PDB file of all heavy atoms in Angstrom:
ATOM      1  N   TRP B 176     -50.532 168.997 162.506  1.00  0.00           N
ATOM      2  CA  TRP B 176     -51.807 169.044 161.805  1.00  0.00           C
ATOM      3  C   TRP B 176     -52.735 168.029 162.406  1.00  0.00           C
ATOM      4  O   TRP B 176     -52.352 166.925 162.761  1.00  0.00           O
ATOM      5  CB  TRP B 176     -51.603 168.739 160.321  1.00  0.00           C
ATOM      6  CG  TRP B 176     -52.853 168.857 159.537  1.00  0.00           C
ATOM      7  CD1 TRP B 176     -53.325 169.946 158.898  1.00  0.00           C
ATOM      8  CD2 TRP B 176     -53.815 167.823 159.299  1.00  0.00           C
ATOM      9  NE1 TRP B 176     -54.518 169.683 158.273  1.00  0.00           N
ATOM     10  CE2 TRP B 176     -54.841 168.380 158.513  1.00  0.00           C
ATOM     11  CE3 TRP B 176     -53.923 166.487 159.680  1.00  0.00           C
ATOM     12  CZ2 TRP B 176     -55.950 167.656 158.088  1.00  0.00           C
ATOM     13  CZ3 TRP B 176     -55.022 165.759 159.267  1.00  0.00           C
ATOM     14  CH2 TRP B 176     -56.019 166.348 158.480  1.00  0.00           C
ATOM     15  N   HIS B 177     -53.991 168.407 162.534  1.00  0.00           N
ATOM     16  CA  HIS B 177     -55.005 167.401 162.908  1.00  0.00           C
ATOM     17  C   HIS B 177     -56.303 167.745 162.203  1.00  0.00           C
ATOM     18  O   HIS B 177     -56.471 168.841 161.689  1.00  0.00           O
ATOM     19  CB  HIS B 177     -55.195 167.361 164.429  1.00  0.00           C
ATOM     20  CG  HIS B 177     -55.611 168.677 165.025  1.00  0.00           C
ATOM     21  ND1 HIS B 177     -56.917 169.087 165.122  1.00  0.00           N
ATOM     22  CD2 HIS B 177     -54.887 169.684 165.560  1.00  0.00           C
ATOM     23  CE1 HIS B 177     -56.974 170.271 165.674  1.00  0.00           C
ATOM     24  NE2 HIS B 177     -55.761 170.663 165.959  1.00  0.00           N
ATOM     25  N   GLU B 178     -57.203 166.798 162.186  1.00  0.00           N
ATOM     26  CA  GLU B 178     -58.501 166.988 161.540  1.00  0.00           C
ATOM     27  C   GLU B 178     -59.241 168.115 162.256  1.00  0.00           C
ATOM     28  O   GLU B 178     -59.103 168.294 163.459  1.00  0.00           O
ATOM     29  CB  GLU B 178     -59.274 165.668 161.705  1.00  0.00           C
ATOM     30  CG  GLU B 178     -60.344 165.399 160.697  1.00  0.00           C
ATOM     31  CD  GLU B 178     -59.786 165.011 159.335  1.00  0.00           C
ATOM     32  OE1 GLU B 178     -59.051 164.014 159.262  1.00  0.00           O
ATOM     33  OE2 GLU B 178     -60.076 165.734 158.392  1.00  0.00           O
ATOM     34  N   ASN B 179     -60.028 168.882 161.516  1.00  0.00           N
ATOM     35  CA  ASN B 179     -60.891 169.919 162.121  1.00  0.00           C
ATOM     36  C   ASN B 179     -60.135 171.057 162.800  1.00  0.00           C
ATOM     37  O   ASN B 179     -60.486 171.481 163.897  1.00  0.00           O
ATOM     38  CB  ASN B 179     -61.854 169.311 163.158  1.00  0.00           C
ATOM     39  CG  ASN B 179     -62.829 168.369 162.506  1.00  0.00           C
ATOM     40  OD1 ASN B 179     -63.248 168.586 161.380  1.00  0.00           O
ATOM     41  ND2 ASN B 179     -63.156 167.309 163.206  1.00  0.00           N
ATOM     42  N   LEU B 180     -59.097 171.547 162.135  1.00  0.00           N
ATOM     43  CA  LEU B 180     -58.491 172.800 162.583  1.00  0.00           C
ATOM     44  C   LEU B 180     -59.485 173.917 162.315  1.00  0.00           C
ATOM     45  O   LEU B 180     -60.164 173.910 161.304  1.00  0.00           O
ATOM     46  CB  LEU B 180     -57.232 173.092 161.769  1.00  0.00           C
ATOM     47  CG  LEU B 180     -55.990 172.267 162.045  1.00  0.00           C
ATOM     48  CD1 LEU B 180     -55.015 172.411 160.895  1.00  0.00           C
ATOM     49  CD2 LEU B 180     -55.329 172.716 163.326  1.00  0.00           C
ATOM     50  N   THR B 181     -59.552 174.906 163.221  1.00  0.00           N
ATOM     51  CA  THR B 181     -60.382 176.073 162.903  1.00  0.00           C
ATOM     52  C   THR B 181     -59.574 176.978 161.990  1.00  0.00           C
ATOM     53  O   THR B 181     -58.385 176.770 161.779  1.00  0.00           O
ATOM     54  CB  THR B 181     -60.746 176.865 164.166  1.00  0.00           C
ATOM     55  OG1 THR B 181     -59.534 177.404 164.702  1.00  0.00           O
ATOM     56  CG2 THR B 181     -61.420 175.990 165.194  1.00  0.00           C
ATOM     57  N   PHE B 182     -60.248 178.019 161.471  1.00  0.00           N
ATOM     58  CA  PHE B 182     -59.567 178.923 160.553  1.00  0.00           C
ATOM     59  C   PHE B 182     -58.377 179.598 161.231  1.00  0.00           C
ATOM     60  O   PHE B 182     -57.281 179.697 160.660  1.00  0.00           O
ATOM     61  CB  PHE B 182     -60.567 179.966 160.040  1.00  0.00           C
ATOM     62  CG  PHE B 182     -59.941 181.020 159.185  1.00  0.00           C
ATOM     63  CD1 PHE B 182     -59.405 180.701 157.947  1.00  0.00           C
ATOM     64  CD2 PHE B 182     -59.867 182.341 159.615  1.00  0.00           C
ATOM     65  CE1 PHE B 182     -58.812 181.664 157.160  1.00  0.00           C
ATOM     66  CE2 PHE B 182     -59.271 183.313 158.827  1.00  0.00           C
ATOM     67  CZ  PHE B 182     -58.747 182.977 157.603  1.00  0.00           C
ATOM     68  N   GLU B 183     -58.594 180.046 162.498  1.00  0.00           N
ATOM     69  CA  GLU B 183     -57.503 180.744 163.200  1.00  0.00           C
ATOM     70  C   GLU B 183     -56.324 179.810 163.448  1.00  0.00           C
ATOM     71  O   GLU B 183     -55.170 180.193 163.276  1.00  0.00           O
ATOM     72  CB  GLU B 183     -57.993 181.308 164.540  1.00  0.00           C
ATOM     73  CG  GLU B 183     -58.903 182.512 164.430  1.00  0.00           C
ATOM     74  CD  GLU B 183     -60.323 182.131 164.049  1.00  0.00           C
ATOM     75  OE1 GLU B 183     -60.736 180.987 164.366  1.00  0.00           O
ATOM     76  OE2 GLU B 183     -61.003 182.956 163.428  1.00  0.00           O
ATOM     77  N   GLU B 184     -56.647 178.560 163.849  1.00  0.00           N
ATOM     78  CA  GLU B 184     -55.561 177.602 164.122  1.00  0.00           C
ATOM     79  C   GLU B 184     -54.793 177.298 162.834  1.00  0.00           C
ATOM     80  O   GLU B 184     -53.563 177.187 162.832  1.00  0.00           O
ATOM     81  CB  GLU B 184     -56.134 176.288 164.662  1.00  0.00           C
ATOM     82  CG  GLU B 184     -56.634 176.372 166.083  1.00  0.00           C
ATOM     83  CD  GLU B 184     -57.350 175.085 166.505  1.00  0.00           C
ATOM     84  OE1 GLU B 184     -57.740 174.291 165.631  1.00  0.00           O
ATOM     85  OE2 GLU B 184     -57.517 174.916 167.715  1.00  0.00           O
ATOM     86  N   GLY B 185     -55.563 177.173 161.728  1.00  0.00           N
ATOM     87  CA  GLY B 185     -54.925 176.876 160.450  1.00  0.00           C
ATOM     88  C   GLY B 185     -53.982 177.986 160.022  1.00  0.00           C
ATOM     89  O   GLY B 185     -52.846 177.730 159.598  1.00  0.00           O
ATOM     90  N   VAL B 186     -54.455 179.220 160.150  1.00  0.00           N
ATOM     91  CA  VAL B 186     -53.605 180.353 159.767  1.00  0.00           C
ATOM     92  C   VAL B 186     -52.377 180.408 160.652  1.00  0.00           C
ATOM     93  O   VAL B 186     -51.249 180.639 160.193  1.00  0.00           O
ATOM     94  CB  VAL B 186     -54.401 181.674 159.841  1.00  0.00           C
ATOM     95  CG1 VAL B 186     -53.474 182.857 159.683  1.00  0.00           C
ATOM     96  CG2 VAL B 186     -55.462 181.714 158.768  1.00  0.00           C
ATOM     97  N   LYS B 187     -52.568 180.143 161.954  1.00  0.00           N
ATOM     98  CA  LYS B 187     -51.430 180.177 162.878  1.00  0.00           C
ATOM     99  C   LYS B 187     -50.389 179.127 162.479  1.00  0.00           C
ATOM    100  O   LYS B 187     -49.188 179.399 162.488  1.00  0.00           O
ATOM    101  CB  LYS B 187     -51.958 179.903 164.290  1.00  0.00           C
ATOM    102  CG  LYS B 187     -51.094 180.397 165.391  1.00  0.00           C
ATOM    103  CD  LYS B 187     -51.926 180.799 166.622  1.00  0.00           C
ATOM    104  CE  LYS B 187     -51.034 180.790 167.856  1.00  0.00           C
ATOM    105  NZ  LYS B 187     -50.909 179.491 168.501  1.00  0.00           N
ATOM    106  N   LEU B 188     -50.883 177.927 162.121  1.00  0.00           N
ATOM    107  CA  LEU B 188     -49.968 176.855 161.734  1.00  0.00           C
ATOM    108  C   LEU B 188     -49.219 177.215 160.454  1.00  0.00           C
ATOM    109  O   LEU B 188     -47.995 177.039 160.350  1.00  0.00           O
ATOM    110  CB  LEU B 188     -50.772 175.563 161.549  1.00  0.00           C
ATOM    111  CG  LEU B 188     -50.007 174.294 161.227  1.00  0.00           C
ATOM    112  CD1 LEU B 188     -48.944 174.018 162.249  1.00  0.00           C
ATOM    113  CD2 LEU B 188     -50.973 173.121 161.151  1.00  0.00           C
ATOM    114  N   LEU B 189     -49.949 177.783 159.478  1.00  0.00           N
ATOM    115  CA  LEU B 189     -49.290 178.175 158.229  1.00  0.00           C
ATOM    116  C   LEU B 189     -48.276 179.272 158.476  1.00  0.00           C
ATOM    117  O   LEU B 189     -47.182 179.269 157.911  1.00  0.00           O
ATOM    118  CB  LEU B 189     -50.326 178.664 157.213  1.00  0.00           C
ATOM    119  CG  LEU B 189     -51.059 177.600 156.424  1.00  0.00           C
ATOM    120  CD1 LEU B 189     -52.003 178.254 155.459  1.00  0.00           C
ATOM    121  CD2 LEU B 189     -50.098 176.712 155.677  1.00  0.00           C
ATOM    122  N   GLU B 190     -48.636 180.228 159.343  1.00  0.00           N
ATOM    123  CA  GLU B 190     -47.686 181.312 159.636  1.00  0.00           C
ATOM    124  C   GLU B 190     -46.439 180.774 160.313  1.00  0.00           C
ATOM    125  O   GLU B 190     -45.320 181.231 160.061  1.00  0.00           O
ATOM    126  CB  GLU B 190     -48.354 182.371 160.515  1.00  0.00           C
ATOM    127  CG  GLU B 190     -49.289 183.250 159.743  1.00  0.00           C
ATOM    128  CD  GLU B 190     -49.832 184.402 160.557  1.00  0.00           C
ATOM    129  OE1 GLU B 190     -49.632 184.399 161.791  1.00  0.00           O
ATOM    130  OE2 GLU B 190     -50.448 185.281 159.954  1.00  0.00           O
ATOM    131  N   LYS B 191     -46.614 179.762 161.173  1.00  0.00           N
ATOM    132  CA  LYS B 191     -45.441 179.146 161.814  1.00  0.00           C
ATOM    133  C   LYS B 191     -44.516 178.567 160.752  1.00  0.00           C
ATOM    134  O   LYS B 191     -43.297 178.776 160.787  1.00  0.00           O
ATOM    135  CB  LYS B 191     -45.946 178.034 162.738  1.00  0.00           C
ATOM    136  CG  LYS B 191     -44.926 177.483 163.682  1.00  0.00           C
ATOM    137  CD  LYS B 191     -45.513 176.310 164.432  1.00  0.00           C
ATOM    138  CE  LYS B 191     -45.698 176.669 165.877  1.00  0.00           C
ATOM    139  NZ  LYS B 191     -45.843 175.477 166.716  1.00  0.00           N
ATOM    140  N   CYS B 192     -45.108 177.850 159.770  1.00  0.00           N
ATOM    141  CA  CYS B 192     -44.287 177.261 158.711  1.00  0.00           C
ATOM    142  C   CYS B 192     -43.618 178.342 157.878  1.00  0.00           C
ATOM    143  O   CYS B 192     -42.420 178.259 157.566  1.00  0.00           O
ATOM    144  CB  CYS B 192     -45.146 176.397 157.796  1.00  0.00           C
ATOM    145  SG  CYS B 192     -45.832 174.980 158.622  1.00  0.00           S
ATOM    146  N   MET B 193     -44.385 179.389 157.519  1.00  0.00           N
ATOM    147  CA  MET B 193     -43.817 180.441 156.674  1.00  0.00           C
ATOM    148  C   MET B 193     -42.720 181.196 157.412  1.00  0.00           C
ATOM    149  O   MET B 193     -41.748 181.647 156.791  1.00  0.00           O
ATOM    150  CB  MET B 193     -44.904 181.419 156.224  1.00  0.00           C
ATOM    151  CG  MET B 193     -45.969 180.810 155.344  1.00  0.00           C
ATOM    152  SD  MET B 193     -45.339 179.976 153.887  1.00  0.00           S
ATOM    153  CE  MET B 193     -44.864 181.333 152.867  1.00  0.00           C
ATOM    154  N   ARG B 194     -42.853 181.310 158.748  1.00  0.00           N
ATOM    155  CA  ARG B 194     -41.815 182.006 159.511  1.00  0.00           C
ATOM    156  C   ARG B 194     -40.505 181.224 159.471  1.00  0.00           C
ATOM    157  O   ARG B 194     -39.428 181.778 159.250  1.00  0.00           O
ATOM    158  CB  ARG B 194     -42.246 182.210 160.963  1.00  0.00           C
ATOM    159  CG  ARG B 194     -41.263 183.060 161.754  1.00  0.00           C
ATOM    160  CD  ARG B 194     -41.797 183.440 163.116  1.00  0.00           C
ATOM    161  NE  ARG B 194     -42.906 184.360 162.995  1.00  0.00           N
ATOM    162  CZ  ARG B 194     -44.149 184.082 163.336  1.00  0.00           C
ATOM    163  NH1 ARG B 194     -44.461 182.913 163.840  1.00  0.00           N
ATOM    164  NH2 ARG B 194     -45.102 184.979 163.171  1.00  0.00           N
ATOM    165  N   VAL B 195     -40.577 179.882 159.652  1.00  0.00           N
ATOM    166  CA  VAL B 195     -39.364 179.056 159.580  1.00  0.00           C
ATOM    167  C   VAL B 195     -38.742 179.169 158.190  1.00  0.00           C
ATOM    168  O   VAL B 195     -37.525 179.285 158.039  1.00  0.00           O
ATOM    169  CB  VAL B 195     -39.680 177.581 159.908  1.00  0.00           C
ATOM    170  CG1 VAL B 195     -38.447 176.726 159.796  1.00  0.00           C
ATOM    171  CG2 VAL B 195     -40.251 177.456 161.292  1.00  0.00           C
ATOM    172  N   LEU B 196     -39.613 179.182 157.146  1.00  0.00           N
ATOM    173  CA  LEU B 196     -39.101 179.318 155.788  1.00  0.00           C
ATOM    174  C   LEU B 196     -38.435 180.672 155.602  1.00  0.00           C
ATOM    175  O   LEU B 196     -37.403 180.790 154.948  1.00  0.00           O
ATOM    176  CB  LEU B 196     -40.238 179.135 154.777  1.00  0.00           C
ATOM    177  CG  LEU B 196     -40.669 177.691 154.596  1.00  0.00           C
ATOM    178  CD1 LEU B 196     -41.982 177.622 153.859  1.00  0.00           C
ATOM    179  CD2 LEU B 196     -39.626 176.921 153.833  1.00  0.00           C
ATOM    180  N   LEU B 197     -39.013 181.705 156.192  1.00  0.00           N
ATOM    181  CA  LEU B 197     -38.424 183.034 156.081  1.00  0.00           C
ATOM    182  C   LEU B 197     -37.047 183.078 156.733  1.00  0.00           C
ATOM    183  O   LEU B 197     -36.114 183.679 156.196  1.00  0.00           O
ATOM    184  CB  LEU B 197     -39.357 184.045 156.749  1.00  0.00           C
ATOM    185  CG  LEU B 197     -38.874 185.488 156.801  1.00  0.00           C
ATOM    186  CD1 LEU B 197     -38.737 186.030 155.415  1.00  0.00           C
ATOM    187  CD2 LEU B 197     -39.860 186.331 157.589  1.00  0.00           C
ATOM    188  N   TYR B 198     -36.874 182.394 157.871  1.00  0.00           N
ATOM    189  CA  TYR B 198     -35.575 182.378 158.526  1.00  0.00           C
ATOM    190  C   TYR B 198     -34.562 181.598 157.731  1.00  0.00           C
ATOM    191  O   TYR B 198     -33.392 181.965 157.665  1.00  0.00           O
ATOM    192  CB  TYR B 198     -35.686 181.713 159.905  1.00  0.00           C
ATOM    193  CG  TYR B 198     -36.304 182.540 160.995  1.00  0.00           C
ATOM    194  CD1 TYR B 198     -37.233 181.983 161.855  1.00  0.00           C
ATOM    195  CD2 TYR B 198     -35.935 183.860 161.212  1.00  0.00           C
ATOM    196  CE1 TYR B 198     -37.795 182.711 162.888  1.00  0.00           C
ATOM    197  CE2 TYR B 198     -36.492 184.594 162.237  1.00  0.00           C
ATOM    198  CZ  TYR B 198     -37.428 184.018 163.072  1.00  0.00           C
ATOM    199  OH  TYR B 198     -37.988 184.737 164.094  1.00  0.00           O
ATOM    200  N   ARG B 199     -34.987 180.465 157.132  1.00  0.00           N
ATOM    201  CA  ARG B 199     -34.008 179.500 156.652  1.00  0.00           C
ATOM    202  C   ARG B 199     -33.941 179.314 155.147  1.00  0.00           C
ATOM    203  O   ARG B 199     -33.091 178.573 154.663  1.00  0.00           O
ATOM    204  CB  ARG B 199     -34.278 178.130 157.299  1.00  0.00           C
ATOM    205  CG  ARG B 199     -34.069 178.133 158.796  1.00  0.00           C
ATOM    206  CD  ARG B 199     -32.625 178.113 159.182  1.00  0.00           C
ATOM    207  NE  ARG B 199     -32.399 178.556 160.537  1.00  0.00           N
ATOM    208  CZ  ARG B 199     -31.208 178.563 161.153  1.00  0.00           C
ATOM    209  NH1 ARG B 199     -30.156 178.143 160.513  1.00  0.00           N
ATOM    210  NH2 ARG B 199     -31.103 178.986 162.394  1.00  0.00           N
ATOM    211  N   ASP B 200     -34.843 179.959 154.363  1.00  0.00           N
ATOM    212  CA  ASP B 200     -34.788 179.838 152.907  1.00  0.00           C
ATOM    213  C   ASP B 200     -34.250 181.139 152.360  1.00  0.00           C
ATOM    214  O   ASP B 200     -34.824 182.203 152.610  1.00  0.00           O
ATOM    215  CB  ASP B 200     -36.202 179.548 152.378  1.00  0.00           C
ATOM    216  CG  ASP B 200     -36.255 179.412 150.871  1.00  0.00           C
ATOM    217  OD1 ASP B 200     -35.200 179.488 150.213  1.00  0.00           O
ATOM    218  OD2 ASP B 200     -37.365 179.218 150.352  1.00  0.00           O
ATOM    219  N   ARG B 201     -33.174 181.098 151.598  1.00  0.00           N
ATOM    220  CA  ARG B 201     -32.582 182.365 151.196  1.00  0.00           C
ATOM    221  C   ARG B 201     -33.436 183.115 150.180  1.00  0.00           C
ATOM    222  O   ARG B 201     -33.305 184.310 150.029  1.00  0.00           O
ATOM    223  CB  ARG B 201     -31.178 182.138 150.653  1.00  0.00           C
ATOM    224  CG  ARG B 201     -31.125 181.763 149.205  1.00  0.00           C
ATOM    225  CD  ARG B 201     -29.723 181.869 148.674  1.00  0.00           C
ATOM    226  NE  ARG B 201     -29.699 181.751 147.233  1.00  0.00           N
ATOM    227  CZ  ARG B 201     -28.610 181.819 146.510  1.00  0.00           C
ATOM    228  NH1 ARG B 201     -27.460 181.992 147.098  1.00  0.00           N
ATOM    229  NH2 ARG B 201     -28.655 181.689 145.218  1.00  0.00           N
ATOM    230  N   SER B 202     -34.333 182.392 149.473  1.00  0.00           N
ATOM    231  CA  SER B 202     -35.122 183.111 148.473  1.00  0.00           C
ATOM    232  C   SER B 202     -36.505 183.517 148.979  1.00  0.00           C
ATOM    233  O   SER B 202     -37.368 183.867 148.195  1.00  0.00           O
ATOM    234  CB  SER B 202     -35.246 182.279 147.193  1.00  0.00           C
ATOM    235  OG  SER B 202     -35.246 180.917 147.486  1.00  0.00           O
ATOM    236  N   ALA B 203     -36.698 183.489 150.294  1.00  0.00           N
ATOM    237  CA  ALA B 203     -37.999 183.897 150.832  1.00  0.00           C
ATOM    238  C   ALA B 203     -38.011 185.397 151.092  1.00  0.00           C
ATOM    239  O   ALA B 203     -36.990 185.984 151.446  1.00  0.00           O
ATOM    240  CB  ALA B 203     -38.268 183.141 152.132  1.00  0.00           C
ATOM    241  N   VAL B 204     -39.193 186.027 150.921  1.00  0.00           N
ATOM    242  CA  VAL B 204     -39.357 187.440 151.265  1.00  0.00           C
ATOM    243  C   VAL B 204     -40.441 187.543 152.329  1.00  0.00           C
ATOM    244  O   VAL B 204     -41.331 186.695 152.401  1.00  0.00           O
ATOM    245  CB  VAL B 204     -39.768 188.300 150.056  1.00  0.00           C
ATOM    246  CG1 VAL B 204     -38.639 188.444 149.102  1.00  0.00           C
ATOM    247  CG2 VAL B 204     -40.981 187.744 149.374  1.00  0.00           C
ATOM    248  N   ASN B 205     -40.366 188.601 153.125  1.00  0.00           N
ATOM    249  CA  ASN B 205     -41.326 188.751 154.212  1.00  0.00           C
ATOM    250  C   ASN B 205     -42.550 189.507 153.734  1.00  0.00           C
ATOM    251  O   ASN B 205     -42.847 190.613 154.195  1.00  0.00           O
ATOM    252  CB  ASN B 205     -40.681 189.468 155.402  1.00  0.00           C
ATOM    253  CG  ASN B 205     -41.522 189.299 156.661  1.00  0.00           C
ATOM    254  OD1 ASN B 205     -42.530 188.618 156.664  1.00  0.00           O
ATOM    255  ND2 ASN B 205     -41.086 189.929 157.736  1.00  0.00           N
ATOM    256  N   LYS B 206     -43.250 188.885 152.780  1.00  0.00           N
ATOM    257  CA  LYS B 206     -44.483 189.494 152.272  1.00  0.00           C
ATOM    258  C   LYS B 206     -45.291 188.330 151.751  1.00  0.00           C
ATOM    259  O   LYS B 206     -44.950 187.736 150.734  1.00  0.00           O
ATOM    260  CB  LYS B 206     -44.145 190.451 151.141  1.00  0.00           C
ATOM    261  CG  LYS B 206     -45.287 191.312 150.675  1.00  0.00           C
ATOM    262  CD  LYS B 206     -44.753 192.308 149.663  1.00  0.00           C
ATOM    263  CE  LYS B 206     -45.844 193.120 149.052  1.00  0.00           C
ATOM    264  NZ  LYS B 206     -45.360 193.900 147.906  1.00  0.00           N
ATOM    265  N   LEU B 207     -46.322 187.948 152.521  1.00  0.00           N
ATOM    266  CA  LEU B 207     -47.006 186.737 152.088  1.00  0.00           C
ATOM    267  C   LEU B 207     -48.505 186.936 151.979  1.00  0.00           C
ATOM    268  O   LEU B 207     -49.072 187.869 152.547  1.00  0.00           O
ATOM    269  CB  LEU B 207     -46.710 185.573 153.033  1.00  0.00           C
ATOM    270  CG  LEU B 207     -47.266 185.646 154.442  1.00  0.00           C
ATOM    271  CD1 LEU B 207     -47.708 184.284 154.871  1.00  0.00           C
ATOM    272  CD2 LEU B 207     -46.210 186.146 155.397  1.00  0.00           C
ATOM    273  N   GLN B 208     -49.100 186.017 151.224  1.00  0.00           N
ATOM    274  CA  GLN B 208     -50.551 185.990 151.093  1.00  0.00           C
ATOM    275  C   GLN B 208     -51.051 184.641 151.555  1.00  0.00           C
ATOM    276  O   GLN B 208     -50.369 183.627 151.382  1.00  0.00           O
ATOM    277  CB  GLN B 208     -50.952 186.135 149.626  1.00  0.00           C
ATOM    278  CG  GLN B 208     -50.777 187.493 149.043  1.00  0.00           C
ATOM    279  CD  GLN B 208     -51.246 187.497 147.609  1.00  0.00           C
ATOM    280  OE1 GLN B 208     -50.826 186.699 146.800  1.00  0.00           O
ATOM    281  NE2 GLN B 208     -52.135 188.413 147.308  1.00  0.00           N
ATOM    282  N   ILE B 209     -52.262 184.657 152.112  1.00  0.00           N
ATOM    283  CA  ILE B 209     -52.889 183.381 152.480  1.00  0.00           C
ATOM    284  C   ILE B 209     -54.197 183.293 151.702  1.00  0.00           C
ATOM    285  O   ILE B 209     -54.980 184.248 151.677  1.00  0.00           O
ATOM    286  CB  ILE B 209     -53.138 183.294 153.984  1.00  0.00           C
ATOM    287  CG1 ILE B 209     -51.812 183.347 154.718  1.00  0.00           C
ATOM    288  CG2 ILE B 209     -53.886 182.025 154.331  1.00  0.00           C
ATOM    289  CD1 ILE B 209     -51.755 182.655 156.032  1.00  0.00           C
ATOM    290  N   ALA B 210     -54.436 182.170 151.046  1.00  0.00           N
ATOM    291  CA  ALA B 210     -55.660 181.983 150.267  1.00  0.00           C
ATOM    292  C   ALA B 210     -56.530 180.952 150.968  1.00  0.00           C
ATOM    293  O   ALA B 210     -56.045 179.942 151.455  1.00  0.00           O
ATOM    294  CB  ALA B 210     -55.325 181.518 148.863  1.00  0.00           C
TER     295      ALA B 210
END
Side-chain angles (χ1 to χ4, degrees):
Chain B
W176 184 91
H177 58 87
E178 204 74 59
N179 295 325
L180 286 163
T181 65
F182 175 67
E183 287 78 27
E184 287 173 342
V186 170
K187 202 149 159 274
L188 184 55
L189 278 181
E190 284 187 349
K191 192 186 249 198
C192 295
M193 296 305 286
R194 186 171 292 114
V195 178
L196 285 166
L197 177 64
Y198 284 136
R199 295 284 161 176
D200 180 3
R201 85 167 191 179
S202 31
V204 289
N205 195 3
K206 189 174 175 191
L207 68 142
Q208 287 182 307
I209 297 208

